Amino acid sequence: VQIIFNEKNIRKNQAEQTFGYSKKHMKKIGLIGYGCVGQGFVRYLAQQAALEFEIAGIAVKRNDIKRPFTIIPIHYNADRLIEDPSIDIIVEAIDDAEAAFLYATRALRNGKDVITANKKMVATHLTELLELQNETQRKLYFEAAVAGSIPILHLLQSYYRREPLTRLRGILNGTTNYVLTKIFNEKLDYRKALRQAQKLGFAESEPSSDVTGADAWYKSKLLAYRAFGVDLDLAEIMYYGIDTLHEDDIRYARSRQKRIKLIPIIQPTSEGIVAWVLPHLVDPSDSFFTIDNEFNCIELEGGFIGRQQLIGKGAGSLPTAAALVGDLNALETRNKQNVHSQKAGDPAQIQIEVYIRDHEILSQNTIPFEEVKEGYMDDSYHYLVGFIDLKKLIALKPWLYQRRCTVIATGQYKINTKSAATHHQETAYCATNQKAWA
Ligand SMILES: NC(=O)c1ccc[n+]([C@@H]2O[C@H](COP(=O)([O-])OP(=O)(O)OC[C@H]3O[C@@H](n4cnc5c(N)ncnc54)[C@H](OP(=O)(O)O)[C@@H]3O)[C@@H](O)[C@H]2O)c1
């Protein structure tokens, strides 16, 4: 769908929103942040004809930069909105997680509902925010924080509410997916592909959160919460990014007719929920193989639904604004809390098969593999492929990263159930091979 913006209409709608006849029935919004996402949000609402919401004011940080025209009053102190008793909802789209946390908590305490796009803020403060939600009886929604325009959090809360989910898998970071697409489809090198992503606005000028996997790590925690009602400890979610990828790793994947994708997996085990985020080898029979560029995808597996996938734009001004508006819609209907309230599982319940590359010789003394399947060494390229306990991999991560090793999951992993392990083959999407390892 192409959205055509007619500035005249936008201003007319905004004027009607601000000064219109139905003003007394409208809910008032205070918008904090008027960058990529905030501007998209204003444009989106300005396109709506009969709107129950009015943006009463916008707060930003700097008073010395030129901004797109808006008739909505701009403030340089967010307190003007947070302390304003006539404002019902704070929509927060700023790039500073700690400031966002202060704004969100003060707004909730002041009796306002809060909608945020800030995944880092929600993932690092989820426990306190949930407690505050209960205490204040206000709502905090964060659909825009996970997978941009794909309404996965609301679907988990409503449509999939009672579904016994057996696994979630995704491509949740548009920047890394764009870079990996260019590397594999167009043979660009990592730096060139990243520069192109920055030029097109898919990647930040400081892209470390994306390329180290941290962005997908925060999102995995939020997805696990909505899918399973579990507040996972971030330190127990293994994550590794694509910033250590070497041309040898790309050659390794190509030689096996595979591509690499950064994939978070959220896996229920008999003891609780375990999640991890790793670059994965993906073969052509896997539908993730062709999820390209800035697109995101979420795959759900459940006892009743079987396997389903949602694909859409994971970032950008208007797709992210659409998610903020989705949260506004949900505020009108006031969804209930999660049905599920599962507990966190021990990552040691998962044995995961990984390819680990180093510039020096690797052995089972340095990497505590349970089983080694394959290995190679020449002067400067050494790798081992084998199963490793996920908890041991978490402990090893600082050492691996400091040495700039590559870690790529092959897609195979085993889950320790009490009597037997379920062996997952991701390309087949099912837990077919029952294999004991406990
Ligand atoms: N961009 C995307 O596609 C996307 C997608 C999903 C989620 N998100 C999330 O959405 C949030 C905003 O991202 P963005 O891309 O819109 O960022 P952005 O373009 O850099 O804009 C950030 C805005 O926040 C304002 N700001 C920063 N600190 C502030 C403070 N302490 N008080 C008041 N205003 C403050 C800035 O003010 P000035 O204008 O004065 O500098 C700016 O208007 C981030 O949490 C991001 O992770 C973004």
Side-chain angles (χ1 to χ4, degrees):
V1 180
Q2 191 176 5
I3 302 167
I4 298 161
F5 289 103
N6 176 330
E7 286 297 326
K8 219 165 128 192
N9 275 350
I10 290 173
R11 286 179 209 174
K12 181 171 165 284
N13 282 343
Q14 280 178 334
E16 278 172 6
Q17 283 168 36
T18 315
F19 309 114
Y21 45 86
S22 57
K23 192 178 171 187
K24 66 177 186 294
H25 302 298
M26 286 181 173
K27 287 225 168 201
K28 286 195 176 184
I29 296 170
L31 172 64
I32 310 181
Y34 193 49
C36 173
V37 176
Q39 287 171 31
F41 181 72
V42 170
R43 292 184 84 183
Y44 191 123
L45 289 196
Q47 285 288 303
Q48 308 298 306
L51 200 69
E52 311 83 350
F53 300 103
E54 168 199 352
I55 303 176
I58 298 173
V60 288
K61 193 169 168 184
R62 296 170 291 172
N63 61 7
D64 56 350
I65 58 165
K66 221 169 137 42
R67 300 176 192 280
F69 168 82
T70 175
I71 61 162
I72 303 167
I74 294 210
H75 308 284
Y76 301 98
N77 180 354
D79 286 349
R80 288 284 297 273
L81 306 176
I82 295 167
E83 303 296 337
D84 181 342
S86 73
I87 287 182
D88 308 282
I89 303 162
I90 291 291
V91 174
E92 179 277 304
I94 73 171
D95 52 347
D96 175 339
E98 284 316 303
F101 179 63
L102 293 178
Y103 295 156
T105 48
R106 289 202 354 250
L108 288 166
R109 285 203 179 95
N110 284 353
K112 303 179 196 315
D113 294 313
V114 174
I115 293 173
T116 178
N118 201 311
K119 68 221 89 164
K120 183 175 178 188
M121 186 269 280
V122 187
T124 49
H125 295 289
L126 186 63
T127 316
E128 298 128 282
L129 289 167
L130 293 175
E131 277 168 14
L132 196 56
Q133 231 192 165
N134 282 341
E135 190 186 311
T136 58
Q137 291 296 301
R138 303 318 308 171
K139 284 282 174 208
L140 173 86
Y141 284 139
F142 43 92
E143 185 65 73
V146 181
S149 64
I150 304 175
I152 184 63
L153 300 184
H154 285 300
L155 286 174
L156 286 168
Q157 222 181 356
S158 53
Y159 185 84
Y160 298 112
R161 195 169 162 73
R162 291 186 168 75
E163 177 69 30
L165 292 167
T166 51
R167 182 165 80 152
L168 258 83
R169 213 170 60 114
I171 291 177
L172 298 182
N173 183 270
T175 301
T176 48
N177 204 37
Y178 183 87
V179 169
L180 291 169
T181 302
K182 294 291 154 187
I183 289 174
F184 277 89
N185 301 15
E186 292 173 29
K187 300 202 167 144
L188 287 194
D189 71 34
Y190 173 81
R191 291 199 181 285
K192 226 178 189 167
L194 185 58
R195 269 201 304 276
Q196 207 178 87
Q198 286 168 321
K199 220 166 154 186
L200 290 168
F202 300 138
E204 310 272 335
S205 51
E206 207 297 275
S208 64
S209 175
D210 294 321
V211 296
T212 60
D215 175 269
W217 181 53
Y218 297 131
K219 291 170 178 171
S220 303
K221 167 158 171 150
L222 302 182
L223 262 185
Y225 169 65
R226 270 290 176 255
F228 299 105
V230 60
D231 183 1
L232 292 180
D233 180 353
L234 278 170
E236 295 271 279
I237 304 177
M238 168 69 197
Y239 77 97
Y240 214 84
I242 65 162
D243 55 334
T244 60
L245 276 189
H246 187 272
E247 60 193 41
D248 287 332
D249 310 321
I250 312 294
R251 213 174 303 122
Y252 176 88
R254 280 214 184 97
S255 70
R256 283 152 178 78
Q257 285 75 50
K258 294 180 193 250
R259 291 180 180 165
I260 297 170
K261 298 278 182 191
L262 183 68
I263 299 179
I265 293 182
I266 301 166
Q267 179 64 62
T269 71
S270 58
E271 302 288 309
I273 307 298
V274 181
W276 60 94
V277 180
L278 286 171
H280 275 69
L281 289 169
V282 173
D283 76 31
S285 65
D286 187 330
S287 51
F288 279 14
F289 193 82
T290 49
I291 305 293
D292 282 340
N293 298 317
E294 77 275 29
F295 277 84
N296 279 198
C297 180
I298 292 164
E299 180 186 85
L300 304 105
E301 286 175 34
F304 296 105
I305 56 168
R307 182 158 35 95
Q308 294 191 349
Q309 287 187 344
L310 296 124
I311 301 168
K313 288 197 173 168
S317 183
L318 291 171
T320 311
L324 295 174
V325 175
D327 281 345
L328 278 182
N329 300 336
L331 275 181
E332 287 178 294
T333 50
R334 297 259 158 191
N335 284 345
K336 295 194 176 71
Q337 289 298 312
N338 289 7
V339 164
H340 305 291
S341 57
Q342 296 215 25
K343 61 187 178 72
D346 184 349
Q349 289 175 290
I350 302 287
Q351 275 187 10
I352 183 162
E353 191 182 61
V354 285
Y355 153 105
I356 297 182
R357 186 220 15 105
D358 197 0
H359 50 274
E360 281 172 21
I361 295 175
L362 288 166
S363 75
Q364 264 178 290
N365 293 335
T366 45
I367 316 272
F369 281 112
E370 307 292 328
E371 258 175 76
V372 173
K373 197 162 119 187
E374 194 187 321
Y376 175 83
M377 64 170 110
D378 65 20
D379 289 348
S380 60
Y381 176 36
H382 306 262
Y383 74 78
L384 288 176
V385 179
F387 279 98
I388 185 168
D389 176 327
L390 189 57
K391 194 154 193 141
K392 291 182 186 162
L393 190 60
I394 292 173
L396 200 64
K397 179 187 160 171
W399 183 84
L400 292 167
Y401 195 67
Q402 196 243 332
R403 291 170 68 82
R404 308 299 291 166
C405 292
T406 296
V407 179
I408 307 175
T410 66
Q412 307 274 342
Y413 61 92
K414 301 182 226 171
I415 309 161
N416 185 17
T417 60
K418 274 183 188 123
S419 53
T422 310
H423 190 168
H424 267 258
Q425 182 167 14
E426 289 191 27
T427 48
Y429 301 106
C430 56
T432 43
N433 312 331
Q434 296 292 316
K435 198 168 164 185
W437 64 275

